[in-house]
Amino acid sequence: MIEMDNKGCRELLIHRMTLAVITSIMLQLFVVCCVVLLTNLSTDYAHWLEETWTIIMSPRMWAYIIMLTLVTFLQSFFCSKNYLRPPLYYKSRFAKLCMTLRIQSLHQRAFYIAIGGILVWLQLSLRKESSSTTDCSIVYGMYSIEEYYFLLFSGLWSGLYFSFKIDTFAEKYFQFPIIAQSKFLQLRRRFYIMFPTLMISSLWSTLYFMAIYYFMGSYFHEALLSFSTQVEVKPLDTVSRLLNLSLIWQLWLYQFIFMLIINYTNTLFEIYLTEWTPFKFGLSGAYTPDSSETTLIDVLSMDKIPIMQYLGYLDLVTLAQKDKMRRSMLFTLSQPGGHPYNWNCVVQKSTNLLKKFSLDLNAISTKSQDQSCYSTLTARVPPVQQSKYIYHMRKLVPDIAPIPVSEDVREAPYSGSFIQKFIKQKKDAFIAYLLSKPLINYIFGEQDDNKIRYALQNGQLMIWAAEAISSLTVFSLSEDSYGIVQKDVPVIINTLLSVKQALDKLSKSAMLARKMQADDKLIREIFISLRSAIKRSLYRIVTNFEPYINDLSLELPIIEQLQSFLNYKE
């Protein structure tokens, strides 16, 4: 489904996605059997069960199974794209709109519309005596032609509503279970969480479709009159006909089943793909694309396949806290007197990941402070006629251009770099002028909220990286017989402190305060969990290395920052 150089990685993902598809088909067949049982409800229980069994074992049911399998495989293809590709960053609302209008995005929306219509059509075909040309009298289990197409088009509407209600093109956050549980327990817990939400969402979808049909149903009724003579005289787009409880129940049921099947498939993919997998250590830390076996060092480098990188750090934090035998393998040398390749690669990749994360947070906080300072200054200082002062402040030292070298005096004004720089300055000034307009900035301006969300979307990786290297550092006091970890303890402490400072700076910025006030549950949970994990990691190292703090060759400002942890004041 995607290009993967490593054979072991490809086999692992294909195996898990295949199991997710098979489980999804089995659950959907169970749901369909329950629907057939409910829709053919009768007071004659023996006849009811016999009729239901006949429908389930009929050739129509087997045709339904084949069609459902094809639909599920198509849905699994789009699920794999969402789970296996790196998340995209939408700089502005216009960029997000352009992304939703791409051919691939339109194909995905069309797929959901088609699958909604196909599911309703298959479920209607399993009803007893159902036909698009039945008698006009409404009997239980029988439809008029307009009611049949009314329910059929409601399936298309459910796909359209779902494609706009659920932003399938947004960043995908991997939800790993906090406590290791079986797949059945995870699925049951997810079902209890999503069931009330799906009921309410399908109810709103039903009400919207009934309202649309009430205003647009006359055009549909006239179109049916031109193609069929069996339409009843009284149209369906009336209040009395639309408020038929049996029709509303069937309409809501098909909306609910569609959303349940789509969410169940996505949930099963997430449950299977996020299952913990132990990876082996290689002889070296180099990435080996020709190897048939995926090592832990390999998956820690797979930032192009996010789910594999998540599984790698999940295995790293698991062995760091629970697996003594594998930790001993990590603390060994490649050969007597050799280098600790595995440890060097693990600590390098983990610290680099945390350093990059802290740099991204500092960039967001710095820009937020610059914008707030600029807005404060422009609000307090009245405008002046002369525009030669930056930020409307008087400059005590005039700007003096540096004197160029004599041999470059003739070439600088005419060089291509000067012309390009001049054009770029004019272009940036023109763009800045356009973005100063509120409406243009709303559509084309960069959203600060998206920056925070995009930066914190890998918060789980940062939590695992910090927990892993801090736990390994602590266990090295008793298990590292070669002393290979001691040389990296100052780097680990400095990295964790830099992440803590970046998080503290971001928490004080007005940007995150607005995001917190907007009740963004995901951002709030990731941010709070990340701050707690960083502090917990620092406490873990400081409390165990307290007798050796002065022997770690730490700088004086770093030791002063660690005093709050030594005194338990953080």
Side-chain angles (χ1 to χ4, degrees), residues 510-529:
M511 190 189 313
L512 188 65
R514 291 194 303 268
K515 197 65 178 173
M516 292 292 189
Q517 294 174 1
D519 196 21
D520 195 321
K521 184 179 179 181
L522 181 63
I523 293 297
R524 184 170 60 251
E525 288 181 352
I526 293 177
F527 184 79
I528 294 175
S529 300

Side-chain angles (χ1 to χ4, degrees), residues 139-245:
V139 185
Y140 193 83
M142 302 175 63
Y143 307 100
S144 67
I145 184 172
E146 188 173 2
E147 289 176 346
Y148 179 84
Y149 287 109
F150 173 80
L151 294 174
L152 188 61
F153 281 110
S154 69
L156 302 177
W157 162 256
S158 62
L160 180 65
Y161 179 81
F162 179 83
S163 64
F164 282 98
K165 181 69 175 179
I166 306 298
D167 192 0
T168 56
F169 313 103
E171 300 87 352
K172 185 62 185 176
Y173 298 95
F174 301 104
Q175 297 183 7
F176 285 78
I178 300 176
I179 301 175
Q181 295 178 331
S182 64
K183 298 181 181 62
F184 175 75
L185 292 178
Q186 293 186 51
L187 187 63
R188 187 181 64 177
R189 182 180 62 85
R190 299 283 184 90
F191 177 76
Y192 289 155
I193 294 175
M194 75 171 65
F195 188 79
T197 305
L198 293 181
M199 289 184 63
I200 297 175
S201 182
S202 57
L203 179 61
W204 281 111
S205 177
T206 301
L207 295 177
Y208 289 149
F209 182 73
M210 292 176 63
I212 292 173
Y213 198 85
Y214 176 77
F215 292 103
M216 307 284 296
S218 58
Y219 302 102
F220 180 73
H221 186 77
E222 293 176 359
L224 284 180
L225 283 174
S226 60
F227 290 100
S228 177
T229 58
Q230 299 186 13
V231 182
E232 64 273 14
V233 178
K234 191 175 182 180
L236 191 60
D237 58 335
T238 60
V239 176
S240 59
R241 295 292 304 278
L242 286 175
L243 292 181
N244 188 345
L245 294 180

Side-chain angles (χ1 to χ4, degrees), residues 277-293:
T277 301
F279 296 97
K280 295 183 178 180
F281 290 104
L283 297 178
S284 65
Y287 180 71
T288 54
D290 297 333
S291 176
S292 59
E293 189 174 19

Side-chain angles (χ1 to χ4, degrees), residues 282-286 297 332-335 338-346:
L283 297 178
S284 65
I297 307 303
T332 56
L333 304 177
S334 58
Q335 58 184 2
H339 299 280
Y341 287 114
N342 291 320
W343 166 254
N344 288 342
C345 291
V346 165

Side-chain angles (χ1 to χ4, degrees), residues 427-473:
K427 178 183 176 181
D428 294 341
F430 180 70
I431 293 175
Y433 170 75
L434 291 177
L435 293 178
S436 63
K437 307 301 179 182
L439 181 60
I440 297 177
N441 184 55
Y442 179 81
I443 299 175
F444 299 97
E446 187 173 8
Q447 296 178 268
D448 295 331
D449 293 349
N450 287 346
K451 286 184 177 181
I452 298 178
R453 180 180 291 273
Y454 188 77
L456 293 179
Q457 68 183 348
N458 289 329
Q460 186 64 65
L461 280 181
M462 308 305 151
I463 293 174
W464 285 338
E467 294 277 0
I469 58 177
S470 62
S471 299
L472 289 172
T473 303

Side-chain angles (χ1 to χ4, degrees), residues 481-499:
S481 58
Y482 299 99
I484 62 176
V485 179
Q486 311 309 319
K487 62 182 178 60
D488 296 314
V489 174
V491 177
I492 294 173
I493 293 177
N494 291 335
T495 304
L496 293 176
L497 282 176
S498 64
V499 177

